[in-house]
Amino acid sequence: MAPRSFWKGYLKLSLVTCPVAMAPAVSANEKIRFHTLNRETRNRVVSQYVDSVTGNAVKEDDEVKGYERGEGDYVLIEDDELDSVALESTRTIDIDVFAPRDSIEWIWLDQPHYLTPDDPVGEEAFCVIRDAMAATGTVGISRLVMYRRERAVMLEPRDKGIVLWTLRYGDEVRDEAIYFETIKADKTDPSLMSLVLQLIDEQTKPWTPSMASDPVQDKLHELIAAKKKGRKRPAKAKPEAEAPPSNVINILDALKKSVAAASKAKR
């Protein structure tokens, strides 16, 4: 059974409108979470804001946001002032522009959500918008209030539905040139390239979700199960110190050995 949607509203393109429902495409609900307890009483502890100078607890009504304009000097911003500059919350995804899908790089994509029709009557409108984007290789761009923030969103056709991606803000993505500009752009040695291509071919497998599994979660489940039964999990053995890799290597020899090892493992 599909998870319940957390948002319902309308998908709108010009005069075409249809009711839609949205649910997060990813979930961390299965991850083990811990509470912080008082070891002596085993009661949960609660967080509380404390004045950094006086050490006194701060009442909720006295909490206010501040923008630091100098050391220890803040401009106070009230909640109603923040509300005045926020985008008005709306339940309509109004597509006002389209962009070629291949013009939006992966680094701009933030969180994916599944968008589906929420009414059989509006399903035809939903499907024609989806199929038109797929046929033209485009995605829809809109704006929406999600998670209490105004977000730019991208609508991408996928199979029978649409994936709605929240997009990172323009000032969040750093310029890659700053980091890559010192890397030498010389052509690689053809003989080395040939061996690396062979190594990639030997180690290529179809993608499965197990490639991105979380072994720590499995070990946590084992630990909790053992503690429930009153058993203590043996302490983790200290790993042997690894010898630092040599800075002087023969890349050609190393690649030949790597290809031979990969070929042997594949058999």
Side-chain angles (χ1 to χ4, degrees), residues 90-108:
T90 177
R91 288 284 168 177
T92 301
I93 305 169
D94 191 352
I95 305 177
D96 51 12
V97 67
F98 292 89
R101 174 61 186 91
D102 56 10
S103 68
I104 303 175
E105 296 185 82
W106 63 270
I107 201 167
W108 293 98

Side-chain angles (χ1 to χ4, degrees), residues 105-121:
E105 296 185 82
W106 63 270
I107 201 167
W108 293 98
L109 306 183
D110 187 18
Q111 292 289 331
H113 303 76
Y114 292 138
L115 196 67
T116 56
D118 195 39
D119 186 326
V121 177

Side-chain angles (χ1 to χ4, degrees), residues 9-24:
Y10 296 89
L11 175 62
K12 183 173 182 289
L13 174 59
S14 188
L15 299 179
V16 179
T17 305
C18 61
V20 291
M22 181 163 48

Side-chain angles (χ1 to χ4, degrees), residues 41-94:
T41 64
R42 297 211 170 189
N43 296 329
R44 288 180 60 179
V45 300
V46 295
S47 300
Q48 189 174 33
Y49 285 107
V50 175
D51 189 296
S52 62
V53 176
T54 66
N56 297 329
V58 179
K59 294 179 182 178
E60 187 174 350
D61 289 343
D62 291 331
E63 295 171 12
V64 64
K65 292 179 173 60
Y67 175 81
E68 189 171 17
R69 59 184 171 187
E71 189 173 352
D73 183 18
Y74 297 88
V75 177
L76 302 186
I77 307 293
E78 302 294 339
D79 288 342
D80 59 345
E81 293 175 312
L82 286 174
D83 291 340
S84 70
V85 299
L87 180 72
E88 184 180 349
S89 182
T90 177
R91 288 284 168 177
T92 301
I93 305 169
D94 191 352

